[in-house]
Amino acid sequence: MTRRTFIVTASAAASAAAAPQGSAPAIPESISSLKPMTEGVQPITDEERHARIEKARRLMRENKLSAVVLEGGSSMFYFTGTRWPQSDRIFALILPAAGDLVWIAADADNDRAEKAIRMSTDFRTWTDAYGPYKLIAEALKDRKVGAGARVGIEERVRFGVFDGIRQAAPNLEYASATPVTAGCRMIKSPAEIALMQRANDVTIAAYKAALANLHEGMTQRDLGAMIAAAYRALGYQGNAMVSFGAYTAFPHGSITPQKLQEGDFVLIDDGCTVEGYQSDITRTVIFGKPTERQKTVWNLERKAQDAALAAAKVGATCESVDYAARKVISDAGFGPDYKVPGLPHRTGHGIGLDGHEWTNFVRGNKTKLEPGMCFSDEPMIAIYGEFGVRLEDCLHITENGGRMFTKQSPAIDQPFG
């Protein structure tokens, strides 16, 4: 569960506890009239997954790794198309530098696991009497991963699982598999970008339908429920963190029950998933007539977002994009640096199968931008006790620079381009 999902869930629970019981509100016409946006979605093909595995093997050779071990999660899905939740019953994948992939599952999960595995038929099960770790060690040996060889551990593998493998195969060396997994996942293919484009299009449609129903006295739960209903009408699952007024200054929102008042900023932030690929969009819009202070800060935020987009060019470092946005905000008298009032967080994060993944627009990150990389562009101006403004659109790097998946907000009272 992400921080934002926690805020959405906790805020809904807090509002529900405070609200009087009664019938559910009617679904507004702007939402009930929506049509599904599921037609034409093209899943990732097995041919592309095979190419990913071969790229991983090339990166393994470059990083002197003989195999990579993965548990259930986004990287396992990326390479194989298999989804599996983590539990005390170890389900693992061994991606060797040479030879077939090896699947490891509990004997109790045999039927489910056999139907779930893909990209290899080498499927081995363990019993409680034997345990999973000896089986993993044997599988590594079968793939010629001998004494002194380096095995990469994918970042989502739990420490207890890693420790069990290490004890069962103490003659091996262990290292991070991130240069391999992130090295593959950071660069999106045209098929991945198409799925992300659909996720972004769906999110904009849901936000438009929900924001058409702002009214004084509504709670953040009311608006969040409308956004979730809009996603369902469009054929997807999604939600949004919602904040009003002074609470918009908190980057990840607040669970405090809130009611919309004239002159409040409204901030909505999150997205949906299409074939596993994420969107992440934030809109900050005024409810009623804005003050000069609100207009000045909103326009400054848009200028900072534009600066980040302009800096996102092939060969530029990730930290230079953060610097470009932060300089706009600091030059206007905020901050300086990461201090508030000002921009308290990184300018953007990587996005793909995870809403937040490698790599980030943040100070110290000297990774150079390459075509196919995808990021959020979301500098924020947080003024605690007053309000906050964040405009977030995601972009992908092309040979000609950053290209947004969505049209940016044109004005304080116009959230959609």
Side-chain angles (χ1 to χ4, degrees), residues 305-313 324 377 401-402:
Q305 190 192 35
D306 289 344
L309 176 61
K313 297 183 182 299
D377 178 356

Side-chain angles (χ1 to χ4, degrees), residues 46-62 78-79 95-101 119 180 184:
D46 284 353
E47 181 181 9
E48 181 161 329
R49 294 193 195 280
H50 280 297
R52 294 171 176 181
I53 290 169
E54 291 310 309
K55 180 178 179 180
R57 286 175 165 157
R58 175 174 61 78
L59 292 173
M60 289 162 66
R61 291 191 292 271
E62 291 175 5
Y78 176 84
F79 289 112
L95 198 170
D100 291 342
L101 279 61
M119 313 305 287
V180 174
C184 288

